[in-house]
Amino acid sequence: MKDKALLFINGDVPKSLPNPENYNLIACTDGAFHYLKNLNFPLEKLDFISGDFDSHSGVDENIYEDKFIYTPDQEKTDFHKALELISEKSFKNIDVFGGSGGEQDHFLGNLTVAYSFKNTLNIKFYDEFSEYFFISENVVLKNVKNKLISLYPFPTVENVTTKGLNWSLTDENLSITSRIGTRNFAIEDEVFIQYEKGDLLVFIGKNYL
């Protein structure tokens, strides 16, 4: 049984859309609703649309009014509030589209929101360049040979060891103020990453070679 939720938020419009049949729950923020409509996404597949709806108007939107969940709390972003709603429905694995691009403070804010949920939700972002997500202390990335792999400390991570990357790490520390681990690539189909302390964001990009 599928156990994944799909969430669209209001960053760059996705270049391609995932198959809605792969998900048990599909949601979007009110800003993302507009590009889904323009991309001819099957809006009847949406389980809910959340936000303050300050950007909504017109008859076309009103036919989906039964799917609206009004979330006016200005202390949290629409992304944060949508994650809370999905979590309340007992979903833990969430694929997010539209999380990057646009205004860069929004992108950094989205990463910070995902960080705040990292111990309770498995959030994976997708855009035209890569997929990216926070990892636990031990992880194996599969089917990644020749793909670009970037390790980004958030903000520090200690004793990082990797296997299967072109430039391997052995008990090394990373920090956004001194040394990060971007623009590496996988030389094996499986890449092993381990660290002891801190938080690490991993980007899996397109083929490096």
Side-chain angles (χ1 to χ4, degrees), residues 18-182:
N19 184 351
E21 300 303 320
N22 293 332
Y23 298 91
N24 283 114
L25 181 143
I26 303 175
C28 71
T29 59
D30 58 344
F33 178 88
H34 298 294
Y35 70 66
L36 290 177
K37 179 183 174 183
N38 292 335
L39 292 173
N40 295 315
F41 184 83
L43 300 176
E44 68 278 3
K45 297 283 188 181
L46 292 170
D47 290 279
F48 70 80
I49 306 157
S50 64
D52 55 19
F53 301 102
D54 58 355
S55 62
H56 276 259
S57 63
V59 175
D60 289 343
E61 283 86 349
N62 291 339
I63 66 174
Y64 299 101
E65 192 170 3
D66 62 325
K67 298 179 184 289
F68 288 176
I69 299 178
Y70 183 54
T71 56
D73 184 357
Q74 295 300 308
E75 297 301 315
K76 298 176 181 177
T77 66
D78 285 346
F79 179 35
H80 190 125
K81 291 178 284 188
L83 289 176
E84 288 181 331
L85 291 169
I86 293 172
S87 180
E88 289 171 3
K89 298 178 183 296
S90 300
F91 285 85
K92 301 298 182 185
N93 301 305
I94 306 171
D95 289 349
V96 177
F97 286 73
S100 59
E103 297 176 344
Q104 293 308 302
D105 57 338
H106 283 173
F107 173 53
L108 293 174
N110 290 337
L111 293 180
T112 302
V113 168
Y115 173 81
S116 71
F117 282 92
K118 69 181 179 60
N119 293 325
T120 56
L121 300 177
N122 299 316
I123 300 168
K124 184 176 286 189
F125 294 92
Y126 292 86
D127 63 24
E128 64 174 308
F129 301 106
S130 61
E131 58 186 81
Y132 49 101
F133 45 92
F134 287 95
I135 65 169
S136 59
E137 287 83 356
N138 293 279
V139 70
V140 177
L141 308 178
K142 297 184 178 182
N143 303 315
V144 293
K145 188 173 183 179
N146 295 329
K147 290 187 176 181
L148 183 71
I149 307 291
S150 288
L151 309 182
Y152 192 83
F154 205 85
T156 62
V157 64
E158 298 178 8
N159 298 327
V160 183
T161 295
T162 67
K163 295 179 182 178
L165 294 178
N166 187 61
W167 296 286
S168 61
L169 301 175
T170 303
D171 292 328
E172 298 184 45
N173 298 334
L174 301 177
S175 169
I176 62 171
T177 62
S178 58
R179 182 192 183 197
I180 57 177
T182 58

